[in-house]
Amino acid sequence: GRGRGRGGGFFGASQAQLDNPHGSDLNKYLKPGAPKPEFRKSRAAEPTVEQIQGDTLTSLAKAYWAPGTRQTHQPFSSDVVDQIYNNDIKGSSFSIKRVMMLEFSQYLENFLWPNFTSTTASLSHLMSIVVIVNEKFRERVPAWTAFQLKPEQFTAFFHSALTWAVAEPGEICIGEQTKLVIFLDHCFCSMEVDLVRTQVQRLVSLPMWSCLLDARREAELKAIPKWKKYWKLLQKKDAKETPENLKKLQFERTFLSAMIQKFLTVLYTVQEKECPADIVDFVERFLILIIDLEALLPTRRFFNTVLDDSHLVVKASLAPLAMRPEGRLFSQLLEQVRFYTRFEINDQTGEPLSDKDMMSVHYARMSKLQRAVFVKYPELRSLALATIASIEDRDQLVKHFLSLTRDALYDICEYLHLVPVRNEEEGCKDEYTQQFLAELVISRHEKRDSQLTELNSMPLYPTEEFIWDENLVPGEYYQGENPLALPKLNLQFLTLHDYLLRNFKLFQLESTYEIRQDIEDVVGRLKPWRAEDGSVIFQGWARMAQPLQTFTIVEVAKPNIGEKQPSRVRADVIVHLGGGKDNIRQEWENLRRHDVCFLLTLRPPMAGTDRGFLDIPADEYCQTTGLMYVRGCEVEGMLDENGRVIEEFGSEPKPKFSSGNRTFRVLLDCNQYREDMDMTSQGGEDVYSSFNLILRRKPKENNFKAVLETIRDLMNTQCVVPDWLHDIILGYGDPASAHYTNMPNAIPELNFNDTFLDFGHLRASFPGYEVRVEGEAASLPSGQLLPPFRIGFEDIKARNLKRDQPGDDSAQIPRVLTVELVKVENRGPYPKNVPKKNTVRFTPTQVEAIRSGTNPGLTMVVGPPGTGKTDVAVQIISNLYHNFPEQRTLIVTHSNQALNQLFEKIMALDVDERHLLRLGHGEEALETEKDFSRYGRVNYVLAKRIELLDEVTRLQKSLGVVGDVAYTCETARYFYLYQILSRWEEYSAKLEQDQHKTKDMIADLFPFHVFFANAPSPLFHGSTYDEYYECAQSCWRYIQDVFTQLDEFWAFELLRSGLDRTRYLCVKEAKIIAMTCTHAALKRQELVQLGFKYDNILMEESAQILEIETFIPLLLQNPQDGTNRLKRWIMIGDHHQLPPVVKNMAFEKFSNMEQSLFTRLVRLNVPTIELDAQGRSRPSICSLYNWRYKALGNLPHVLNHTDYQTANAGFSFDYQLINVPDFNGVGESQPSPFFYQNLAEAEYVVAVYMYMRLIGYDASRISILTTYNGQKSLIRDVCNARCANNPLIGLPHKIATVDKYQGQQNDFILLSLVRTYNVGHLRDVRRLVVAMSRSRLGLYVFARVSLFKNCFELQPAFNILMKRPLQLHLCPNEVTPCKRIASVTAPNPVIVYDMPMMSKFVVDFYQNKVKELKVLQARHMVARPGEIKGQETGKGASRHPGEDRDSDDEAEGKNKYEEITNEVDNEEAAEVSGENKAAQALEKVFTQGEELAEDQDKAEVEDEPQMETEDSSAGPHSSAGPPAS
């Protein structure tokens, strides 16, 4: 999970103090059974809150700017800024801890920016702002808000930042310049912010070419006449400018060029002797800036030429730093710069260049070089006249050029416009050395492999070298402060190839990180050691790994033409599954086809490792544990005794095995096999004869190979994204171009089916439109206008016309709707033929979303919590299904749970279920009786076929036809043609001849009376001829429908195997196909080969899906004639809630991998429809998160329904923020790093939960949430100790982290925020929105108020929370359901001050309840023994208290209890003593009205539900008070 505190150590240790050598994910130690890590040096002591308050920064903040202080702030003083900057920012060498404190205290918002003026601001003022902005980016909180509120000084601020960035070394230290480079990089990456974009654009536009060599500039402009024209205009404009303006313009134009010169100067200060870290940091950061400029088309367009002209890549690659060990990351970054400078794209137009185009560019360069040589140097005649193929390799070029003199090389370069003309460069001979000039010529002209060729020869599985390389797969807790050589996902991409490549790399690295964790976990559990004879012995046991018996390669197939690697490598792996538990054996036997396993070679050192397996640094890992090789493989299947692959192990007759050995047939990676064999042939060890362990992974997390293969396939096909989407996905062009109003094929008339409940609903749904009713319905009163309606949109018609005949632009587009009534045809005389209808009264925005989704184009719906996203999705699907019966719709979601909700709602609408299909493994969880998986659908079709053939038999008998006509679909078809159709035609002809139109004739001549005898009588009803005729028609439609379906099912008779039938379903029969995005990525190849086709995609939860997993479903079909048939793409999501889960912090933060495609499109300003009425929470609770949305209102039922009108029983308020002070001096704690817990909050939350259960709330209505995994496990422990074994209380519905609970909801939420020193990852507003929006009726937040109330991002919510008392107010005399109205506060509540008081209160409250109940029930048993005995029989013991769901009728039991209380007499109570009887009776009071499980052990009933009486046992659930720790 994410619970590792992404805010970074605030006052905790920063990197240096935390000696934790084994990488970040400490959760892996916390798997059950694994030992806790021993830290060699514990964390630095956390400062106490008092110390922090005494800290100078805090006192300054209080005096000058902190929000929420009582006294007024002192006036601004620049000395304070200087003092803080020199002591705490620069003075602490930019310590993250200090900067975090300043940023958190709103130093920028309240002090630095409001008082910034360009004329008076000092360098320290400017640098303070820069450092805080960088800090905001590091913490991933919005950075530009303060500037947007007061934009007028921004231009001046930006300009002075630029001036300081190129200042001389003496005036500003290198560390500060690094900070400025980082700041510039952030500016270039924030192009969507208008304020920043206007500034940044000036630095990278055409005028920057003024710093090119004149000859080079002339040559470039000559190639592009359009730019030449602009250049001339520019020169004219410059002539008119004032000198100071011109100076400023000139500064902006040469700025980047000056920065590059500065970079080279700094880079060359590193010579052989020493290598200062701050210089390395500066050059690395600078290269990242260059990469980001090169990887965006708008910045790259002119800059690429300037970069090329500066020869940065050549000069940097020759620098001494590149040769030193400290320069490793520098070299990797430089490689990325080189990759982008040569990227396959046309800088001017942005069109991607194919291999052919790249070849012609290369040839043009080479022939130009040959011409240069030919003109200048006769002695190189052999080079000038050679064929290009013979001289284009690097080795050949080196041979020719390294031997030339410096002057000769210089002349050639001058001819190629690479260096200044001779007479100008007298002064700088040393800059153009012979080595440099030679390298310049060679690197420009060598032939390079295309990126695709490299990618295709790459193994897809990581090997041991790759897995433990910290530079590629950063493991340590990444705080965002050091640069990495990773690709980034920002807003825009150069080409689709670039887009896929960046995602490929990141996905590969992210999955490698998870594989590393799995391997380390397994090796740590197995505890391998070496015996005397050298054999490896596994001392431990691991569920996910088995020692190998044998491994043999069984097939190496010949390479395909033009390839070097074999086309297929297969091997057999034998493992022994005899001794283990049955369930483990089953798990191994259930390895499916395409599952990925890893083969490991372990050779632990003889001495064994005494260090344990847990804290080994990555670079020593393989050596210390003796892990020699890791290779991936893909399971093809398990072999049976005869050596045949078993297709599906779960299938019917199960194969028998005589021994415990199982053989798996696996496929190895061909590229990897070739590399390994090359090594072996050069004398290396044969890897494949050394494996001794096979490791499997959880199937859920193991889809990486399929996704990588899919991305690689996409890069190799001409993957055609539909034209209307192409630019939007890359982030260019008009973001609204795919909106339905701008699509040339927008549909002017739509049948809205059952979207509208009545005419009033239609009228209300289109505010601002004039509604006209057309046809004969125009005369009817609106009450008689019944749906379905067909609506014509005059504005769309007008737009489409305008597109075809562009005329007068000022013509007004009419906002008029024309409505026609659609006649509904009856589908038959039976009640089952009445179609199901939508019952939801959609709001106008929901209707707009439905309209947009039914039209072609891109529809993006932002659905805040509880706004009926699923209802909208289902209605869109239903409308498409009815309006375009020939089109097929693909539904993609993130989780199986969301798919299930969608399917359950689709079932409730008028969609024939033979057209529904669900692919993937989640279909087991569908809570409908019907099975929508492929095999389930096939079975449904076969059963339906038999049912329909029975109908045909009945029809046959009713007509008295002989013969076996209902034997197959085929015979039934002939029966229809010859017997049925002829009768109907004859009947119709007779009716046509009837001049008088007598309605009785319709009934008398009707040929199928006998068949419809079982329909509701009379079959013909109505008063007019037309109504009778419609009855006859509906019967005929029913018969036709039977035969149409049989026609469709005919294919299932012809296809015999289950596999063929499921494929036919998937490709032909189903109209609505659903799958998760993971399944789409896994099965793309298979689907494409089958010829899978679809026209529409609907994605639910799309803000939670990784960018690449959103993109793949667009391309699950092969393009037809070079175009993609996709017509609609509907994305429904909410980018204000949590993003996709990325396990590794470095990829999440540095590479921005957590950005979903949905979020990126929102950032690019693609038009969205934001649903604006929620129906989940009370309006009061909704106010805690609706500030995050544009205009989120409430649906009427949230205001009127009784649940929402009454208060929460037992509580004064419907939501409260409850301050939890330290308990025994302890607030948050970390039993292991980033595993945060807070005992006081855990106990408090559980006590409140117990209190709620005691006053009658159902456990199923209460969920306990928290923001950290550590706290979740602590609350679980406390609950198990206090509640689980107590039948009165039991466990709550769910105990979960906020992240895991996204997409779910409950009536009452108890939320623990855990942290007491710093806010941690709740600063991510998205997490706060999710946390606040999970509850319907009650939300109780337990937190350290003083910490959270100052957090700038969270203020809107916490300001509202803090208007209510911060101590819990209870009304213990109320029971559920409550009578009090929600707006009335309870009179004289009990005020709880802290956790110990609450615990004590609950114990006493519990004792009283139990006493009351015993007395009462005893009295009850004496009074009416007969009745109670009668009740006992049907009931049985209480359900298991640990079960997830309690029944919903507990409240009824409570009411009965209330009435009885009145009749208790004390005298008679003494007659019964046996406490067990009382306990049983007490159970009954609580379980009256519950439907209980019949058989359960009596023991649980007799166990007395008690908490802490004198004689209670010392079991774990008896200690109710706070623990003594």
Side-chain angles (χ1 to χ4, degrees), residues 1277-1415:
D1277 295 346
V1278 176
C1279 259
N1280 287 334
R1282 304 261 182 276
C1283 322
N1285 303 334
N1286 189 330
L1288 274 190
I1289 294 172
L1291 289 176
H1293 178 62
K1294 279 245 172 79
I1295 301 172
T1297 57
V1298 171
D1299 297 50
K1300 274 272 178 289
Y1301 203 70
Q1302 179 163 346
Q1304 304 173 56
Q1305 54 178 351
N1306 209 337
D1307 287 355
F1308 301 97
I1309 298 287
L1310 306 176
L1311 172 66
S1312 157
L1313 297 184
V1314 191
R1315 302 299 295 272
T1316 55
Y1317 291 127
N1318 70 317
V1319 176
H1321 67 194
L1322 194 73
R1323 274 197 83 172
D1324 190 335
V1325 183
R1326 299 174 294 192
R1327 191 168 277 102
L1328 178 83
V1329 169
V1330 174
M1332 295 289 134
S1333 60
R1334 297 303 98 203
S1335 73
R1336 292 180 56 231
L1337 303 170
L1339 172 69
Y1340 300 96
V1341 185
F1342 300 81
R1344 179 64 52 88
V1345 177
S1346 57
L1347 172 69
F1348 289 95
K1349 70 176 183 195
N1350 287 335
C1351 179
F1352 181 66
E1353 288 75 21
L1354 311 182
Q1355 270 183 336
F1358 276 87
N1359 288 345
I1360 301 174
L1361 283 168
M1362 289 174 59
K1363 289 182 180 151
R1364 297 190 171 177
L1366 300 178
Q1367 279 97 16
L1368 184 58
H1369 284 215
L1370 301 178
C1371 324
N1373 50 356
E1374 295 183 338
V1375 287
T1376 53
C1378 185
K1379 306 278 186 291
R1380 179 161 56 90
I1381 300 171
S1383 49
V1384 177
T1385 344
N1388 45 28
V1390 174
I1391 297 177
V1392 181
Y1393 290 101
D1394 54 7
M1395 185 270 292
M1397 177 175 168
M1398 184 70 199
S1399 291
K1400 175 102 180 59
F1401 172 77
V1402 169
V1403 175
D1404 300 346
F1405 190 63
Y1406 177 84
Q1407 307 281 325
N1408 294 339
K1409 274 280 187 237
V1410 173
K1411 273 187 201 139
E1412 232 174 75
L1413 289 168
K1414 279 186 197 164
V1415 169

Side-chain angles (χ1 to χ4, degrees), residues 72 150 210 483 549 578 592 789 869 931 947 978 1032 1419:
T72 52
K150 186 189 162 203
S210 60
Q549 305 291 326
R592 304 189 179 183
F789 301 114
K869 297 189 272 280
D931 180 359
E947 198 182 297
Y978 295 122
R1419 159 85 182 79

Side-chain angles (χ1 to χ4, degrees), residues 734 1123 1393:
D734 170 16
T1123 58
Y1393 290 101

Side-chain angles (χ1 to χ4, degrees), residues 14-26 28-29 37-43 470 475-477 614-618 1232-1234:
S14 68
Q15 210 49 50
Q17 294 149 309
L18 175 57
D19 183 15
N20 160 15
H22 42 248
S24 84
D25 189 16
L26 295 150
K28 59 187 169 220
Y29 309 112
E38 293 284 322
F39 269 58
R40 275 173 284 165
K41 193 169 93 194
S42 80
R43 307 195 38 164
E470 289 268 296
E476 88 281 8
Y477 176 66
L614 290 170
D615 47 358
I616 307 170
S1232 63
F1234 320 119

Side-chain angles (χ1 to χ4, degrees), residues 388-629:
I388 288 184
S390 66
I391 56 168
E392 61 186 1
D393 288 340
R394 185 172 181 101
D395 311 340
Q396 295 286 339
L397 290 167
V398 167
K399 210 163 64 194
H400 285 297
F401 283 103
L402 273 184
S403 56
L404 287 182
T405 61
R406 176 186 176 275
D407 289 347
L409 278 168
Y410 197 94
D411 286 343
I412 294 175
C413 289
E414 187 189 316
Y415 181 85
L416 295 171
H417 309 313
L418 296 179
V419 290
V421 186
R422 269 285 160 110
N423 52 19
E424 295 173 11
E425 59 86 39
E426 290 312 315
C428 49
K429 264 213 159 78
D430 51 338
E431 188 184 329
Y432 298 108
T433 59
Q434 194 264 348
Q435 181 199 13
F436 165 72
L437 292 168
E439 176 58 33
L440 181 59
V441 173
I442 294 165
S443 65
R444 265 185 91 78
H445 297 95
E446 61 183 337
K447 178 173 194 304
R448 292 181 282 274
D449 271 350
S450 79
Q451 303 157 11
L452 257 186
T453 329
E454 281 175 33
L455 195 73
N456 289 336
S457 59
M458 224 171 81
L460 287 176
Y461 304 104
T463 62
E464 69 287 344
E465 293 151 21
F466 188 68
I467 297 179
W468 281 275
D469 181 344
E470 289 268 296
N471 266 20
L472 294 168
V473 189
E476 88 281 8
Y477 176 66
Y478 178 77
Q479 294 197 314
E481 67 277 42
N482 45 341
L484 299 166
L486 296 175
K488 290 184 185 173
L489 302 181
N490 203 348
L491 280 181
Q492 297 172 316
F493 299 89
L494 293 175
T495 60
L496 275 178
H497 187 93
D498 176 42
Y499 174 70
L500 289 167
L501 193 67
R502 288 194 222 180
N503 277 296
F504 179 87
K505 285 186 179 155
L506 281 177
F507 200 88
Q508 191 178 32
L509 294 168
E510 158 78 358
S511 45
T512 305
Y513 174 71
E514 293 174 26
I515 292 163
R516 166 158 125 198
Q517 291 174 289
D518 288 346
I519 295 179
E520 289 184 359
D521 176 58
V522 160
V523 173
R525 288 169 190 279
L526 284 170
K527 307 190 178 66
W529 55 284
R530 259 324 232 299
E532 311 285 305
D533 58 355
S535 61
V536 177
I537 295 175
F538 296 108
Q539 202 178 328
W541 172 85
R543 176 181 201 148
M544 303 306 273
Q546 286 286 346
L548 287 186
Q549 305 291 326
T550 57
F551 175 88
T552 40
I553 293 210
V554 293
E555 179 196 18
V556 179
K558 285 203 180 92
N560 295 330
I561 293 177
E563 291 182 350
K564 299 190 184 108
Q565 74 275 19
S567 55
R568 186 171 58 243
V569 184
R570 288 169 142 157
D572 282 358
V573 181
I574 302 179
V575 290
H576 181 71
L577 298 176
K581 301 180 183 152
D582 279 354
N583 63 331
I584 304 290
R585 192 177 70 232
Q586 270 170 343
E587 282 179 14
W588 279 93
E589 287 179 345
N590 282 341
L591 276 176
R592 304 189 179 183
R593 190 173 173 164
H594 299 313
D595 276 354
V596 172
C597 294
F598 284 89
L599 300 160
L600 278 67
T601 303
L602 274 167
R603 295 197 191 123
M606 278 307 222
T609 151
D610 50 343
R611 309 176 38 181
F613 288 93
L614 290 170
D615 47 358
I616 307 170
D619 43 4
E620 296 167 27
Y621 188 83
C622 296
Q623 199 184 334
T624 313
T625 53
L627 181 61
M628 304 294 294
Y629 305 111

Side-chain angles (χ1 to χ4, degrees), residues 953-988:
T953 315
R954 232 187 67 210
L955 183 57
Q956 175 198 356
K957 285 181 181 155
S958 74
L959 297 172
V961 178
V962 289
D964 195 351
V965 300
Y967 179 57
T968 63
C969 297
E970 191 175 6
T971 54
R973 187 176 187 170
Y974 295 130
F975 170 61
Y976 171 72
L977 276 175
Y978 295 122
Q979 301 282 349
I980 309 295
L981 197 56
S982 57
R983 289 184 179 165
W984 176 256
E985 283 169 351
E986 185 187 351
Y987 170 64
S988 305

Side-chain angles (χ1 to χ4, degrees), residues 829-831 1012-1021:
Y830 300 98
F1012 286 112
N1014 58 357
S1017 55
L1019 189 56
F1020 290 91
H1021 48 81

